[in-house]
Amino acid sequence: MDISQLIRDYNWMKKEITRLQKIIYGSTFPMKSWGVAQYGIEATLPKGSRGKSVAELEEMDLREQKQIERLQTYQRYVYALEKAVEVLKDERQKIIYDCLLDEMTYRQIAMHLNVSKDYVQKQKNEIVRQIRQNRQITAILQNEKSAV
């Protein structure tokens, strides 16, 4: 899993998630509701499923099944990337990370923070290293069920 590539792909993955959600479900869902556990009384109440039933899944054609798989993969990647900011300790690293997710270039980030382009590149490498070393983020990226 190449974290640098995922950071570069973040914006188009978010757009593709929205497109696929509209095709599959007819509407989009806020990311904060993806895989979030409920507690208290809400956990005991019956809930309707946003997903498709087993019967509907069996009736889907191959293209639709692939779309759902792609949607789930992109949601997992985007969730991991957005959660990764919690891993970073340094405030400047958080800003650089946010700017990278916003598709800003090293030069634009350097001008924004009044630092050198080399500093931004070194910090990006450090950010990627920290994310790669975080077990929770790598578990999410590798689709380990216990991570979410």
Side-chain angles (χ1 to χ4, degrees), residues 4 106 120-130:
S4 293
Y106 292 153
V120 174
Q121 287 176 316
K122 287 177 186 171
Q123 289 302 308
K124 184 209 177 210
N125 291 337
E126 177 60 21
I127 290 166
V128 169
R129 185 192 67 74
Q130 288 180 40

Side-chain angles (χ1 to χ4, degrees), residues 27-132:
S27 64
T28 61
F29 303 104
M31 189 176 131
K32 62 183 173 184
S33 68
W34 301 347
V36 175
Q38 290 185 334
Y39 301 96
I41 191 87
E42 291 85 15
T44 63
L45 297 173
K47 297 162 224 24
S49 173
R50 281 199 296 241
K52 298 194 179 255
S53 69
V54 174
E56 288 176 308
L57 288 172
E58 290 172 356
E59 293 295 319
M60 291 172 45
D61 62 26
L62 185 59
R63 181 170 180 254
E64 290 173 314
Q65 291 172 4
K66 293 295 181 190
Q67 286 175 332
I68 286 180
E69 289 172 19
R70 220 170 345 126
L71 173 63
Q72 291 169 343
T73 299
Y74 293 156
Q75 285 177 329
R76 193 175 70 247
Y77 290 163
V78 167
Y79 176 75
L81 289 170
E82 291 189 0
K83 189 134 182 77
V85 76
E86 298 170 6
V87 170
L88 307 175
K89 307 282 187 276
D90 183 68
E91 196 60 32
R92 274 199 175 178
Q93 286 179 346
K94 291 178 182 183
I95 293 168
I96 290 170
Y97 184 67
D98 280 341
C99 291
L100 289 168
L101 291 180
D102 288 337
E103 297 181 325
M104 289 176 68
T105 65
Y106 292 153
R107 183 168 302 196
Q108 291 170 326
I109 297 169
M111 288 176 59
H112 175 65
L113 294 176
N114 200 26
V115 296
S116 73
K117 189 174 117 182
D118 289 339
Y119 175 83
V120 174
Q121 287 176 316
K122 287 177 186 171
Q123 289 302 308
K124 184 209 177 210
N125 291 337
E126 177 60 21
I127 290 166
V128 169
R129 185 192 67 74
Q130 288 180 40
I131 292 171
R132 205 175 274 134

Side-chain angles (χ1 to χ4, degrees), residues 18-31:
T18 300
R19 186 185 80 84
L20 289 171
Q21 284 178 338
K22 285 179 183 175
I23 289 170
I24 296 166
Y25 304 118
S27 64
T28 61
F29 303 104
M31 189 176 131

